[in-house]
């Protein structure tokens, strides 16, 4: 196009006026014949800038990954990378272990029931076994008697004491039993049934039985009664009490008045021993 073309002139007039010293700028901006601009170096071509940009991108990606992995629960779909998910799981497990081992509370103390909650059963009191009856101590034999004779003598004395008989009555009864049975509880050969009861031998003088050789046929009692030493002694004392003035009689006379023996003087020989035995059993 010709430089005198009005259109060109019009365009030229509209451009800003350049300074005289800026020749290169005028040449580059006037007309079609512009001086080609030198090639510009790209902005990313600088090494420091590329390093900074790469670092920033990496940080942003890391933040995006963390934000995506820890996003709100409202988003049903979370694009979590498998590696990031595994790392997050391992971190959660480690955190959970630390919580269990370091921050856990102490186990609650076991609450024992209150003493008043359940009544304490009353202690069982062991029931004591009933005491066995204590056997009376057997008396020590005196005056040449054996234990069986001394036991029978004690029965005679105990019955007399129970009947409130005086000491002289005890001596009369002991002397009579010494003469009649030698202080043994005898059965009778004439009455075989008498052997069915406890006895210490037998005699053959009619139907005489027991310590005082009393006869059932004379009304002293039954066989069973007369074979009991305590009954025989009681029967003797009862008969003695029926003798008027027996307390003033000799031992032989008092015994004879009760027994009516064929040998009335035989009782006198036992008076001393009877006195010794009575004293030993009443001491």
């Amino acid at each position: 196009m010709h430089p005198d073309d009005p259109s060109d002139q019009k365009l030229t007039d509209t451009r800003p006026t350049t300074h005289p010293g800026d020749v290169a700028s005028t040449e580059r901006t006037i007309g079609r014949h512009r001086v080609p601009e030198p090639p510009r170096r790209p902005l990313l071509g600088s090494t420091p800038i590329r390093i900074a940009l790469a670092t920033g991108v990496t940080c942003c990606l890391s933040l995006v990954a963390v934000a995506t992995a820890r996003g709100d629960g409202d988003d049903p779909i979370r694009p979590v990378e498998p590696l990031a998910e595994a790392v997050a799981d391992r971190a959660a497990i480690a955190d959970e272990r630390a919580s269990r081992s370091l921050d856990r509370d102490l186990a609650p103390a076991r609450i024992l029931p209150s003493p008043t909650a359940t009544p304490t059963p009353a202690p069982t009191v062991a029931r004591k076994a009933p005491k066995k009856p204590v056997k009376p101590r057997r008396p020590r034999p005196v005056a040449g008697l054996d234990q069986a004779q001394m036991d029978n003598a004690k029965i005679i004395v105990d019955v007399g004491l129970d009947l409130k008989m005086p000491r002289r009555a005890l001596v009369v009864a002991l002397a009579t039993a010494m003469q009649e049975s030698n202080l043994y509880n005898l059965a009778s050969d004439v009455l075989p049934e008498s052997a069915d009861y406890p006895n210490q031998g037998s005699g053959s003088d009619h139907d005489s039985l027991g310590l005082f050789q009393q006869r059932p046929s004379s009304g002293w009692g039954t066989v069973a009664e007369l074979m009991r030493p305590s009954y025989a002694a009681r029967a003797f004392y009862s008969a003695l009490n029926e003798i008027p003035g027996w307390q003033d009689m000799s031992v032989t006379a008092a015994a004879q008045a009760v027994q009516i023996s064929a040998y009335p003087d035989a009782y006198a020989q036992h008076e001393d021993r009877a006195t010794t035995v009575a004293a030993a059993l009443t001491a």
Side-chain angles (χ1 to χ4, degrees):
M1 184 176 291
H2 197 269
D4 296 332
D5 193 336
S7 60
D8 262 355
Q9 292 177 3
K10 188 178 181 177
L11 292 172
T12 305
D13 293 339
T14 58
R15 293 182 177 272
T17 304
T18 59
H19 294 284
D22 192 3
V23 178
S25 300
T26 303
E27 291 179 355
R28 287 196 299 267
T29 59
I30 296 176
R32 299 176 54 186
H33 303 282
R34 299 176 180 176
V35 179
E37 295 179 358
R40 295 181 180 181
R41 189 173 184 178
L43 182 61
L44 300 179
S46 175
T47 299
I49 295 177
R50 284 186 295 174
I51 292 174
L53 182 61
T55 302
V57 170
T58 302
C59 293
C60 291
L61 290 177
S62 300
L63 293 175
V64 170
V66 172
T68 304
R70 299 185 179 180
D72 296 335
D74 298 335
D75 187 7
I77 301 175
R78 293 185 299 171
V80 180
E81 292 296 332
L83 180 60
E85 184 178 0
V87 171
D89 290 342
R90 292 175 64 84
I93 293 173
D95 187 19
E96 185 179 358
R97 288 178 181 174
S99 298
R100 286 199 303 267
S101 62
L102 298 179
D103 299 333
R104 61 184 176 187
D105 296 332
L106 296 176
R110 183 178 178 184
I111 301 176
L112 298 178
S114 175
T116 58
T118 55
T120 303
T124 303
V125 179
R127 191 175 292 180
K128 294 182 179 180
K131 294 182 179 180
K132 295 182 179 180
V134 179
K135 294 182 179 180
R137 188 177 60 180
R138 301 178 74 180
R140 185 175 62 87
V142 295
L145 302 180
D146 61 23
Q147 190 63 59
Q149 291 172 308
M150 196 67 183
D151 292 342
N152 290 331
K154 185 177 187 304
I155 294 173
I156 294 172
V157 170
D158 289 345
V159 171
L161 295 175
D162 187 57
L163 293 174
K164 309 300 182 185
M165 299 297 289
R167 171 75 66 90
R168 185 156 183 86
L170 305 181
V171 174
V172 171
L174 288 172
T176 301
M178 289 177 181
Q179 174 61 34
E180 297 292 345
S181 66
N182 198 20
L183 281 175
Y184 289 118
N185 190 30
L186 300 178
S188 175
D189 296 336
V190 177
L191 299 172
E193 61 176 303
S194 63
D196 297 336
Y197 302 98
N199 62 85
Q200 297 163 331
S202 62
S204 56
D205 185 8
H206 305 290
D207 57 347
S208 300
L209 296 173
L211 291 176
F212 295 92
Q213 291 292 286
Q214 297 154 331
R215 300 175 64 181
S217 59
S218 301
W220 287 94
T222 65
V223 173
E225 292 172 339
L226 294 175
M227 290 299 297
R228 293 205 322 262
S230 59
Y231 176 87
R234 188 174 296 271
F236 179 84
Y237 287 123
S238 297
L240 181 62
N241 271 334
E242 294 177 1
I243 305 297
W246 67 269
Q247 295 88 346
D248 299 328
M249 296 180 181
S250 63
V251 172
T252 299
Q256 178 62 23
V258 175
Q259 295 295 108
I260 309 175
S261 172
Y263 307 97
D265 297 330
Y267 301 107
Q269 61 182 332
H270 303 289
E271 183 173 354
D272 292 341
R273 283 207 306 165
T275 302
T276 303
V277 173
L281 293 173
T282 57

